[in-house]
Amino acid sequence: MSPLHAIPDWAAAAVALLLVLGATIVFIGALGLMRLRTFYQRMHGPAITVTLGTGSILLASVVYFTAAQARPVVHEAIIAAFVMATAPVVSMMIMRAAVYRDLRAGRADAGATAGEVYRLPAGE
């Protein structure tokens, strides 16, 4: 008997749905990373999809192992909470570092000054 036959049909359907959903979200994020032109545009795809895609895949793992072992398995839930808490913060810090790098280099055309949120110092 294979391990796949050890879980109920409802759990197998939930795992399959969550895996397909997570893989689709991660694939869309990868396409965004590949297709967008500037650094600031490229950061949006992975910043959002890492959180949602990884969360879906880890939730599928929680459902599978909880159903297969007939006991609550929370290891993946702890990993998912850590990823969901840190991925957006890391993305924001990378984008903020790029903005300050562009401002210090005086690159007004890099996108850091779009929307006039950040401004180049006077005289540059």
Side-chain angles (χ1 to χ4, degrees):
M1 179 182 245
S2 72
L4 190 58
H5 295 291
I7 65 171
D9 291 339
W10 66 267
V15 167
L17 179 69
L18 286 168
L19 284 176
V20 169
L21 178 67
T24 303
I25 291 171
V26 169
F27 180 69
I28 290 170
L31 284 178
L33 181 64
M34 186 176 71
R35 300 275 306 182
L36 296 173
R37 290 184 212 111
T38 67
F39 173 79
Y40 299 104
Q41 292 173 343
R42 285 184 181 151
M43 282 304 297
H44 289 290
I48 295 169
T49 60
V50 162
T51 306
L52 294 174
T54 305
S56 296
I57 292 169
L58 286 170
L59 189 58
S61 180
V62 167
V63 171
Y64 175 78
F65 285 109
T66 298
Q69 296 179 7
R71 66 179 179 87
V73 177
V74 295
H75 298 94
E76 290 87 357
I78 295 169
I79 294 169
F82 181 75
V83 168
M84 288 184 186
T86 58
V89 174
V90 169
S91 297
M92 181 191 69
M93 296 305 287
I94 290 171
M95 286 186 275
R96 191 172 280 185
V99 166
Y100 288 123
R101 178 199 62 203
D102 289 345
L103 290 175
R104 287 182 58 101
R107 290 189 274 178
D109 61 337
T113 57
E116 299 182 13
V117 175
Y118 299 101
R119 297 173 199 261
L120 291 171
E124 290 189 23

